[in-house]
C-alpha cells in the first residue's frame, strides 16, 4: 500500500487538495468538540395522520449550532461524521437525547396518547453492533412501549448486505422498535425486494411527493408505491408535503401519514411541546363529547 500511495498521491496531491484536507480535518476536530460541548441540538418534525388530521408522532432531525457559522443542517456535517468515526458518538448522542426528550414530553405533555418518535440512523450505525447493545438500556431507561420508537433507514442500507440487514432488522424489531424505510424510491432496491425485509413502514421520498400533482408520471409512481406497500400491509408516510393540493391528493390516494412544510416545518423543542400539548387538549375534548 505504501508503494501505491507513494507515487500516485504525490502526483495528484496539489494545493487544492491540501486545502480541502486541512479544512476537513478542522471540521472533524470542531465536530468532535461540538458533540462533547453540547453544540448539537434536535429539531422535531410532526407526522400527521392524513385521515384524522391528528398528530401521530414526530421525527428528530439533528442540527449543529456552530459558534461562528450559525445553525448548520445535517447535510453540512453528517457526511463528515460518517466518513470519520464521529458518526458513532454523534448517533449515540442523537438517540439518547431524542429518547430523553420524548420521555419528558410523555410525562409532562402528551401522557396517555399513543404517539411515536422516529430517529434517523446512518448506515454505519445500522451495521454497528453497538446499536443493539445500547438500545435495550435506552428503552427501559426512558420507558418506551413497544412500537413507540422507530428507526429510519434507507434502501441503500438494505442492499449493501441483504442478509445481514435482514438479521439486524429482526433484532431491532425483537426489542419492540419499528424499522421505517426512509426516502423510498430513490435507492436501487427493486420493489420486489421489499417483501424480504420485515420493515414496518415506508416513507415516500419528497421528490415524488413534490410533483405528484403536476406530473402524471409522479402521480403514478406514488400510486404504485402505495399499492405495493398496502399489498404488503405496510402503511406509508409521504415526505415533503408543501401544498394543499399535494396534501389533498395524497389523502385521496389513501396515504396514511404525511410530513412536510405545508403541515409543520421542523420545530424547536418549545414549539414541538406546544404542538403535543394542543393534541392532548384535543384528545380530552373528544373524550368529553362521547
Ligand atoms: P430525512 O430523514 O429524509 O428528513 C427529511 C428532510 O426533509 C429534513 O431535512 C426536513 O427538514 C426536510 N423537509 C421536511 N419537510 C419538507 C418539505 O416540505 N420541503 C422540503 N424541501 N424539505 C422538507 P434535514 O433536517 O436537513 O435533514 C436532511 C437529512 O439528514 C435527513 O433526511 C436525514 O437523512 C439526515 N439526518 C437528519 N437528522 C439525522 C440524524 O440525527 N442522524 C442521521 N444519521 N441522519 C440525520
Ligand atoms: Mg428521515
Ligand atoms: Mg426522508
Ligand atoms: Mg429525504
Amino acid at each position: 500500500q505504501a508503494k501505491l500511495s507513494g507515487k500516485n498521491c504525490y502526483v495528484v496531491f496539489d494545493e487544492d487538495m491540501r486545502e480541502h484536507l486541512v479544512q476537513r480535518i478542522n471540521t472533524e476536530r470542531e465536530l468532535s468538540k461540538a458533540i462533547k460541548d453540547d453544540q448539537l441540538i434536535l429539531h422535531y418534525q410532526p407526522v400527521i395522520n392524513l385521515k384524522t388530521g391528528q398528530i401521530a408522532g414526530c421525527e428528530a432531525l439533528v442540527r449543529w449550532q456552530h459558534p461562528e457559522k450559525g445553525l448548520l443542517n445535517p447535510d453540512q456535517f453528517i457526511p463528515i461524521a460518517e466518513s470519520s468515526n464521529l458518526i458513532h458518538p454523534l448517533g449515540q448522542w442523537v438517540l439518547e437525547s431524542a429518547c430523553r426528550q420524548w420521555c419528558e414530553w410523555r410525562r409532562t405533555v402528551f401522557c396517555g396518547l399513543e404517539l411515536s418518535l422516529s430517529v434517523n440512523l446512518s448506515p454505519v450505525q445500522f451495521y454497528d453492533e453497538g446499536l443493539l447493545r445500547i438500545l435495550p438500556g435506552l428503552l427501559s431507561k426512558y420507558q418506551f412501549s413497544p412500537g413507540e420508537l422507530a428507526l429510519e433507514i434507507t434502501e441503500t442500507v438494505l442492499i449493501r448486505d441483504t442478509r445481514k440487514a435482514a438479521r439486524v432488522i429482526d433484532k431491532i424489531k425483537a426489542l419492540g422498535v419499528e424499522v421505517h424505510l426512509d426516502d423510498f424510491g430513490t435507492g436501487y432496491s427493486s420493489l420486489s425486494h421489499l417483501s424480504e425485509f420485515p420493515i414496518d413502514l415506508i416513507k415516500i421520498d419528497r421528490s415524488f411527493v413534490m410533483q405528484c400533482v403536476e406530473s402524471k408520471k409522479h402521480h403514478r409512481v406514488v400510486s404504485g408505491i402505495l399499492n405495493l406497500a398496502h399489498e404488503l400491509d405496510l402503511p406509508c408516510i409521504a415526505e415533503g408535503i408543501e401544498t394543499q393540493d399535494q396534501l389533498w391528493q395524497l389523502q385521496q390516494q389513501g396515504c396514511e401519514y404525511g410530513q412536510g412544510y405545508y403541515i409543520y416545518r421542523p420545530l424547536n423543542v418549545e414549539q414541538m411541546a406546544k404542538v403535543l400539548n394542543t393534541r392532548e387538549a384535543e384528545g380530552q375534548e373528544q373524550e368529553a363529547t362521547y
Side-chain angles (χ1 to χ4, degrees):
Q1 216 214 340
K3 208 166 140 197
L4 238 180
S5 59
K7 197 174 171 189
N8 291 350
C9 277
Y10 178 73
V11 177
V12 294
F13 199 78
D14 60 14
E15 194 49 33
D16 274 4
M17 282 183 70
R18 201 189 72 87
E19 184 67 21
H20 190 83
L21 190 67
V22 168
Q23 242 181 46
R24 202 188 160 85
I25 291 170
N26 280 337
T27 313
E28 269 180 36
R29 213 176 275 149
E30 281 181 356
L31 183 56
S32 159
K33 194 168 168 313
I35 299 166
K36 291 184 202 111
D37 291 358
D38 263 344
Q39 289 173 24
L40 297 183
I41 57 168
L42 292 177
H43 281 179
Y44 297 88
Q45 187 175 35
V47 174
I48 297 301
N49 180 323
L50 294 182
K51 294 196 174 101
T52 64
Q54 282 178 331
I55 182 170
C58 70
E59 174 180 9
L61 296 161
V62 70
R63 306 283 180 258
W64 179 1
Q65 187 67 67
H66 192 284
E68 287 116 43
K69 297 177 195 154
L71 197 63
L72 303 182
N73 281 326
D75 299 340
Q76 295 168 276
F77 60 92
I78 291 280
I80 294 168
E82 274 173 349
S83 63
S84 60
N85 271 326
L86 291 173
I87 194 63
H88 298 292
L90 188 151
Q92 209 162 326
W93 181 90
V94 169
L95 258 176
E96 170 96 35
S97 307
C99 291
R100 190 194 313 119
Q101 180 65 72
W102 192 249
C103 177
E104 190 186 316
W105 281 335
R106 190 199 305 111
R107 279 193 295 121
T108 58
V109 264
F110 70 84
C111 155
L113 296 173
E114 264 189 43
L115 304 178
S116 70
L117 168 71
S118 300
V119 176
N120 291 285
L121 276 194
S122 106
V124 190
Q125 272 178 288
F126 177 81
Y127 282 113
D128 181 58
E129 263 121 52
L131 177 70
L132 289 162
R133 272 202 307 272
I134 66 165
L135 271 178
L138 284 177
L139 294 170
S140 68
K141 183 171 171 194
Y142 298 117
Q143 294 148 24
F144 275 76
S145 311
E148 196 178 359
L149 177 67
L151 299 177
E152 297 187 5
I153 59 171
T154 54
E155 288 164 274
T156 37
V157 171
L158 299 183
I159 55 167
R160 181 183 291 186
D161 182 346
T162 50
R163 279 224 202 133
K164 173 123 197 252
R167 272 204 310 272
V168 175
I169 294 174
D170 277 335
K171 286 183 184 161
I172 292 174
K173 293 193 49 159
L175 297 171
V177 175
E178 290 199 349
V179 177
H180 295 180
L181 200 50
D182 205 353
D183 303 340
F184 187 76
T186 59
Y188 300 99
S189 72
S190 69
L191 294 179
S192 58
H193 240 86
L194 216 52
S195 58
E196 295 166 31
F197 300 101
I199 51 165
D200 297 286
L201 177 147
I202 288 173
K203 297 189 77 168
I204 305 172
D205 191 67
R206 186 170 84 220
S207 55
F208 305 114
V209 173
M210 222 163 59
Q211 301 185 62
C212 74
V213 176
E214 287 82 15
S215 148
K216 252 209 173 102
K217 212 161 93 191
H218 284 85
H219 176 96
R220 277 197 227 110
V221 173
V222 170
S223 284
I225 296 175
L226 284 166
N227 286 339
L228 172 86
H230 296 159
E231 205 70 56
L232 298 170
D233 274 330
L234 298 174
C236 292
I237 299 180
E239 300 188 292
I241 300 176
E242 292 187 356
T243 69
Q244 163 91 69
D245 282 349
Q246 290 165 0
L247 175 64
W248 183 80
Q249 175 125 326
L250 288 154
Q251 281 171 327
Q252 294 300 304
Q253 290 181 278
C255 183
E256 288 82 0
Y257 303 99
Q259 238 180 333
Y261 292 171
Y262 180 74
I263 308 170
Y264 285 108
R265 287 185 171 257
L267 307 172
N268 66 31
V269 169
E270 291 76 32
Q271 294 167 323
M272 186 65 215
K274 262 189 211 147
V275 171
L276 289 169
N277 206 9
T278 325
R279 171 67 173 87
E280 197 198 26
E282 270 172 28
Q284 284 169 350
E285 244 165 60
Q286 264 192 2
E287 257 167 34
T289 57
Y290 284 122

